[in-house]
């Protein structure tokens, strides 16, 4: 069960990283390279990491609490 959660988490992080890199490339190509580097590269990875962490916490925390009872 824990291995499945780990694999799902790794898959989500991998997919979000692909989305992040694609957004950096698109913003750099069509809007501004400086904006892509400063905003998307510096902050988007942190925002994605926090979002994944909160999603996992929201989905798995009740299950963790139930399994310890």
């Amino acid at each position: 069960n824990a291995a499945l959660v780990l694999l799902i988490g790794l898959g989500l992080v991998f997919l979000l990283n692909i989305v992040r890199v694609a957004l950096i490339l698109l913003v750099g190509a069509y809007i501004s390279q400086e904006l892509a580097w400063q905003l998307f590269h510096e902050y988007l990875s942190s925002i994605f990491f926090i979002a994944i962490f909160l999603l996992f916490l929201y989905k798995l925390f009740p299950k963790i609490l139930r399994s310890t009872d």
Side-chain angles (χ1 to χ4, degrees):
N1 201 11
L4 178 63
V5 170
L6 178 65
L7 289 174
I8 291 170
L10 288 174
L12 284 174
V13 168
F14 183 74
L15 288 175
L16 277 179
N17 198 42
I18 290 172
V19 170
R20 182 184 67 91
V21 170
L23 285 173
I24 290 170
L25 291 173
L26 288 172
V27 169
Y30 293 107
I31 299 173
S32 166
Q33 290 180 355
E34 187 174 329
L35 177 69
W37 182 255
Q38 288 180 349
L39 179 66
F40 282 86
H41 182 71
E42 297 289 329
Y43 299 110
L44 201 58
S45 57
S46 298
I47 291 169
F48 279 169
F49 175 77
I50 291 169
I52 285 292
F53 177 75
L54 291 175
L55 176 69
F56 260 58
L57 198 61
Y58 174 75
K59 288 292 187 181
L60 295 178
F61 195 66
K63 293 178 184 180
I64 293 169
L65 288 179
R66 274 188 258 129
S67 68
T68 59
D69 290 340

